[in-house]
Amino acid sequence: MFTGIIEAVGKVKSIKLNASGARVMIASGNLDLSDVKLGDSIATNGICLTVVDLDDASYSADVSKETLTRTGFTNYASGTKVNLEKAMLPTTRFGGHMVSGHVDGIGKITAINTVGNSIEYWIELADNLKQYVAEKGSITVDGTSLTVNSVDENKFRLTIVPHTTEQTIISTYKVGQLVNLEVDLIARYIERLLFCREQDCNQATSSGISKELLLNSGFIK
């Protein structure tokens, strides 16, 4: 689990395709790797990656074909800048929102406008994701927790303050660029609850847990 508050900006050192996907090496920049061990998770442009090799200044991870398909990794190359965040600790200050590191899809930047000392970005997203985006709600863009300022059909507007621009890769964005998007987890759970009110979600899962069992056990009312 992550918070969407970027800790450092790194760079892709290499991407080597293989039968199962790819092995990527990331230069960690100012990210402190002293407390990272093999098997830990690091959000890399919003993608939860498991560390399989590391040294003082970089880490490597395997990227599955599924991840290559759903994210912008297919457009990355050596030198591409990426946002970095280590997995949160129980004692971490929760400055952003709940971020899983599981990218839902890719968005496209359609407009960039300067407003005072801030910059506005309009991002277009796929029709199957637009119902999860709400004005003043949260969304993760390349791993950064951001507030949606307005929504227009399948586009949403972000207003980025100078501090966020300085601490992330947002300053490199251009019109037409693709970005990784993760919608708010709470929105997905609400959708599922509403669906279950209309559909038959009472049947047991493969684990034997059913709505009836949870009701009888006092977990739900």
Side-chain angles (χ1 to χ4, degrees), residues 119-193:
I119 302 176
E120 288 186 347
Y121 295 84
W122 279 94
I123 299 179
E124 183 181 59
L125 73 170
D127 286 341
N128 66 317
L129 295 179
K130 66 182 182 181
Q131 70 266 29
Y132 303 113
V133 181
E135 185 173 340
K136 301 307 176 185
S138 296
I139 192 165
T140 306
V141 179
D142 279 341
T144 308
S145 173
L146 298 170
T147 300
V148 176
N149 282 321
S150 63
V151 179
D152 183 11
E153 294 296 331
N154 66 331
K155 296 180 182 179
F156 62 92
R157 177 173 59 86
L158 305 169
T159 301
I160 308 300
V161 298
H163 177 78
T164 303
T165 299
E166 293 166 3
Q167 299 299 317
T168 70
I169 66 169
I170 288 177
S171 62
T172 67
Y173 288 172
K174 297 178 175 59
V175 172
Q177 185 166 335
L178 303 180
V179 292
N180 295 321
L181 300 177
E182 180 185 334
V183 300
D184 191 359
L185 286 173
I186 295 175
R188 284 199 172 279
Y189 282 117
I190 291 174
E191 180 188 49
R192 179 63 178 169
L193 287 170

Side-chain angles (χ1 to χ4, degrees), residues 19-212:
S20 59
R23 170 70 63 92
V24 300
M25 180 181 287
I26 307 295
S28 56
N30 292 327
L31 188 71
D32 181 12
L33 297 179
S34 63
D35 59 347
V36 176
K37 61 184 185 300
L38 298 183
D40 283 354
S41 298
I42 298 178
T44 306
N45 259 15
I47 305 163
C48 179
L49 296 181
T50 301
V51 175
V52 297
D53 192 16
L54 81 158
D55 56 33
D56 293 338
S58 65
Y59 63 91
S60 296
D62 291 321
V63 180
S64 68
K65 290 181 179 179
E66 169 75 6
T67 300
L68 290 175
T69 300
R70 285 184 172 269
T71 71
F73 249 115
T74 52
N75 301 306
Y76 298 168
S78 178
T80 298
K81 291 183 177 181
V82 288
N83 290 321
L84 303 178
E85 180 192 359
K86 293 183 289 188
M88 65 179 293
L89 300 171
T91 55
T92 301
R93 181 178 285 111
F94 214 122
H97 71 286
M98 290 186 293
V99 177
S100 70
H102 302 156
V103 173
D104 293 299
I106 295 175
K108 182 179 181 180
I109 298 173
T110 60
I112 302 175
N113 304 302
T114 300
V115 180
N117 66 346
S118 299
I119 302 176
E120 288 186 347
Y121 295 84
W122 279 94
I123 299 179
E124 183 181 59
L125 73 170
D127 286 341
N128 66 317
L129 295 179
K130 66 182 182 181
Q131 70 266 29
Y132 303 113
V133 181
E135 185 173 340
K136 301 307 176 185
S138 296
I139 192 165
T140 306
V141 179
D142 279 341
T144 308
S145 173
L146 298 170
T147 300
V148 176
N149 282 321
S150 63
V151 179
D152 183 11
E153 294 296 331
N154 66 331
K155 296 180 182 179
F156 62 92
R157 177 173 59 86
L158 305 169
T159 301
I160 308 300
V161 298
H163 177 78
T164 303
T165 299
E166 293 166 3
Q167 299 299 317
T168 70
I169 66 169
I170 288 177
S171 62
T172 67
Y173 288 172
K174 297 178 175 59
V175 172
Q177 185 166 335
L178 303 180
V179 292
N180 295 321
L181 300 177
E182 180 185 334
V183 300
D184 191 359
L185 286 173
I186 295 175
R188 284 199 172 279
Y189 282 117
I190 291 174
E191 180 188 49
R192 179 63 178 169
L193 287 170
L194 292 174
F195 174 81
C196 284
R197 288 190 177 186
E198 301 296 329
Q199 306 293 327
D200 182 14
C201 292
N202 192 46
Q203 66 269 29
T205 64
S206 58
S207 65
I209 298 175
S210 66
K211 181 179 179 181
E212 183 178 4

Side-chain angles (χ1 to χ4, degrees), residues 2-18:
F2 307 90
T3 68
I5 302 301
I6 303 305
E7 297 180 84
V9 172
K11 286 185 179 181
V12 175
K13 290 187 69 174
S14 65
I15 302 177
K16 297 180 180 179
L17 298 177
N18 53 50

